[in-house]
Amino acid sequence: MRVSRQLTSGCAVALTAAFLVVWAAQAMAGDIARFVGSYAGSAEVSSADGSSQKRDMSVKISKTKQGFEVYWKTSTYRPDGSTKEKAYTVEFVPSDRGDVFSSAMKRNVFGHDVQLDPMKGEPYVWSRIDGDTLSVYSLFVTEDGGYEIQQFNRTLTEGGLDLDYKSVRNGEVQRTVSTFLKAQ
């Protein structure tokens, strides 16, 4: 009789845990669902030295099996007429901290998604949802042990997203962008 009570108790704990995992995933899916879509716009990027450059920007936010993915691209127009494009894709998965999500940027030898290593010059990336704002953060440890943090706030507005970006290196603002990205 004692063994069956332990099994029943163990099964109840396992079922409760499974329910909580499913419930948390459904709650996250509901939050990210509001952001899913493609958005595009242009902006003037202001640098610490007072200069600015025109950039076209786009972002696509989509659900994945375990979380969501953010793809963004920027096209910078140089004074000589040339264009420089950069594109990034980061997949995010739920963490144990509510509306905070871990990046899943590479797989380890066991096939599990893991963070990159900032001590190897790779960015440590995470995101969070706070109300109508999806924020993505990237932390870099520089060669000399300093840091750079980039913050992308994408806030839902009528017809698209307001994008506010800031890059800070060792406490000093390097670049900022504020623009509207229209839903496509």
Side-chain angles (χ1 to χ4, degrees), residues 103-106 114-125:
S103 69
M105 296 177 67
K106 70 178 181 181
V114 296
Q115 286 274 359
L116 297 177
D117 185 350
M119 298 312 288
K120 293 181 179 175
E122 301 169 332
Y124 185 85
V125 181

Side-chain angles (χ1 to χ4, degrees), residues 25-83:
Q26 288 175 340
M28 185 280 302
D31 281 348
I32 197 60
R34 299 178 303 133
F35 295 92
V36 169
S38 295
Y39 309 87
S42 295
E44 288 288 324
V45 177
S46 301
S47 296
D49 65 5
S51 65
S52 64
Q53 284 186 314
K54 183 178 187 281
R55 288 190 187 174
D56 288 338
M57 304 175 156
S58 62
V59 63
K60 180 179 179 186
I61 302 166
S62 53
K63 285 185 184 182
T64 63
K65 189 182 252 187
Q66 295 183 352
F68 63 96
E69 181 178 270
V70 179
Y71 165 84
W72 68 99
K73 182 171 114 176
T74 62
S75 299
T76 303
Y77 300 97
R78 297 181 175 154
D80 67 4
S82 64
T83 304

